[in-house]
Amino acid sequence: MGSDGSAYLSITRSDTVVDVPLEDASSWKLGRGSQCTIVLEDDLVSRNHAMIQRTESSEYMLIDMGSRNGSFVNGRRLSTPSKLRDGDQVTLGNAQMVFHNPQQSMNQSTPDLGDEGATVCHIKQCLVSVLVIDIRGFTVMSQQIEESSLCQLTGSWFAEAYRIMDRHGSSAQKYIGDAVMAVWQHRTKGQEAAEIVEILRALSEFATVTEDLSSKFGLPEGLKIGAGLNTGIAAVGNTGTKGAADYTATGECVNMAFRLESATKTLQTDLCLGKSTSDYLRQWARAATYLQEHEVELKGYDVPVATCPVTFGVLKGFLESLETAGQEA
């Protein structure tokens, strides 16, 4: 396995080693459940234990999905997504495996066009909405609770993010440290506003789930999140290597979403909407009641940028008002 330079897991099973390739996809679920890509028959492994995600830069991230017994890399229990390196020892319950990625060293040089490891790129410009969600005060929180509880809490948080965003139509998700980026592609002209409302429903649901996790784990100050949502043109599509391409979105629209999420700290709010996003929502007259435009200085921008800061309480009220309008219609 790995002769073509692709990444793979060497899993020890009943005194034998089985090589499982990590190709032809951008993510692989590991767990005891039969629906997992890589099934691990071990009572100490949760049904949905962890996920390996391949990034657009051909890196592999291990993400714990809220498992009871944790995910370990080289003996260290994960509390946030961890980048895997060639030769890393991964432990899930009693399952022992080694991550191999021969391409890590090969990627330093430019491949031949005919090489199976050559970079492939199928990118197009299209309209997307990018949602970035970040855990507030993660460092302080990590000092307040036991490591095992912290790892299970954050794993559960990432697992819920994956479930909710996927159910509400997200095209792709990325996990960066203690943050999540989800992308929605707008394919039908005239449906943008309705699709953005669906994204807001996903965020509102996730905010509620985050509160529930705070109660479940008994956090003294609660688990807080901030979010930025921006709509615009981005370069989207598959990048990576042959047989292992990865859907991604890049460009100013994506950068702005991250900046808007950071602005929630300055404006002391929960969510910042980009102007283009709020403009789509203003097709409903009642949006003016909930979306008040402000200007904020953002890193990397020479002039203040217009945004609509919104609390999760106001967001819930806005969504409920739209549902009421629909019932009246």
Side-chain angles (χ1 to χ4, degrees):
M1 186 67 63
S3 60
D4 62 350
S6 60
Y8 62 99
L9 284 176
S10 292
I11 306 175
T12 300
R13 291 175 174 167
S14 302
D15 298 325
T16 62
V17 177
V18 178
D19 290 338
V20 179
L22 300 176
E23 55 187 10
D24 299 327
S26 60
S27 64
W28 300 263
K29 286 185 178 181
L30 298 88
R32 202 175 70 251
S34 59
Q35 80 284 358
C36 290
T37 315
I38 301 174
V39 178
L40 303 171
E41 297 178 354
D42 182 340
D43 290 340
L44 294 182
V45 171
S46 299
R47 293 187 63 82
N48 294 291
H49 196 108
M51 178 171 64
I52 293 177
Q53 186 176 78
R54 185 181 185 280
T55 72
E56 60 269 21
S57 57
S58 299
E59 294 178 335
Y60 291 77
M61 307 293 295
L62 179 64
I63 305 156
D64 185 84
M65 304 298 283
S67 65
R68 175 174 296 181
N69 295 309
S71 301
F72 296 79
V73 176
N74 299 325
R76 181 179 64 84
R77 184 168 183 169
L78 301 186
S79 58
T80 58
S82 176
K83 181 168 67 176
L84 293 173
R85 294 175 173 80
D86 187 35
D88 276 349
Q89 307 285 325
V90 177
T91 304
L92 309 181
N94 287 320
Q96 303 285 333
M97 59 200 82
V98 179
F99 172 77
H100 297 281
N101 187 8
Q103 276 291 72
Q104 281 186 338
S105 57
M106 296 169 59
N107 282 342
Q108 302 302 317
S109 59
T110 303
D112 294 330
L113 293 177
D115 193 335
E116 281 299 315
T119 299
V120 293
C121 186
H122 304 287
I123 295 292
K124 64 179 180 178
Q125 298 284 329
C126 66
L127 186 69
V128 300
S129 285
V130 181
L131 176 65
V132 176
I133 310 171
D134 181 54
I135 297 177
R136 290 281 179 266
F138 180 81
T139 301
V140 174
M141 181 182 68
S142 65
Q143 298 170 347
Q144 295 176 335
I145 61 177
E146 295 181 357
E147 181 182 12
S148 59
S149 296
L150 174 69
C151 295
Q152 190 172 2
L153 166 62
T154 54
S156 298
W157 189 80
F158 284 112
E160 289 294 341
Y162 180 89
R163 178 184 67 83
I164 292 172
M165 303 306 156
D166 182 68
R167 186 163 59 82
H168 285 273
S170 171
S171 303
Q173 297 176 39
K174 301 296 178 186
Y175 303 87
I176 308 119
D178 54 3
V180 174
M181 181 187 83
V183 180
W184 281 260
Q185 187 173 337
H186 300 291
R187 296 182 173 88
T188 306
K189 189 172 180 60
Q191 293 299 310
E192 297 89 352
E195 291 167 348
I196 291 171
V197 167
E198 188 66 18
I199 298 170
L200 294 176
R201 289 195 181 104
L203 176 59
S204 184
E205 179 182 344
F206 188 52
T208 300
V209 167
T210 298
E211 288 184 3
D212 293 342
L213 286 174
S214 293
S215 300
K216 177 181 178 180
F217 286 89
L219 298 183
E221 297 182 7
L223 183 60
K224 305 295 183 183
I225 59 175
L229 177 61
N230 192 47
T231 304
I233 300 297
V236 302
N238 292 316
T239 63
T241 58
K242 292 181 179 179
D246 184 46
Y247 183 91
T248 187
T250 58
E252 180 61 24
C253 172
V254 179
N255 295 336
M256 174 66 79
F258 279 91
R259 296 289 185 256
L260 290 172
E261 183 279 316
S262 296
T264 60
K265 304 170 188 176
T266 303
L267 298 174
Q268 297 184 337
T269 192
D270 299 318
L271 165 67
C272 277
L273 298 173
K275 178 172 172 52
S276 56
T277 305
S278 61
D279 283 348
Y280 278 112
L281 295 172
R282 293 186 193 281
Q283 76 168 43
W284 291 285
R286 64 188 63 207
T289 304
Y290 300 91
L291 307 180
Q292 306 296 321
E293 197 168 284
H294 294 264
E295 288 191 341
V296 62
E297 292 186 359
L298 300 181
K299 182 179 179 181
Y301 292 83
D302 296 331
V303 297
V305 173
T307 180
C308 288
V310 182
T311 66
F312 289 140
V314 170
L315 174 61
K316 183 178 180 180
F318 174 56
L319 294 174
E320 289 176 348
S321 75
L322 295 182
E323 292 176 2
T324 301
Q327 293 170 358
E328 292 174 350

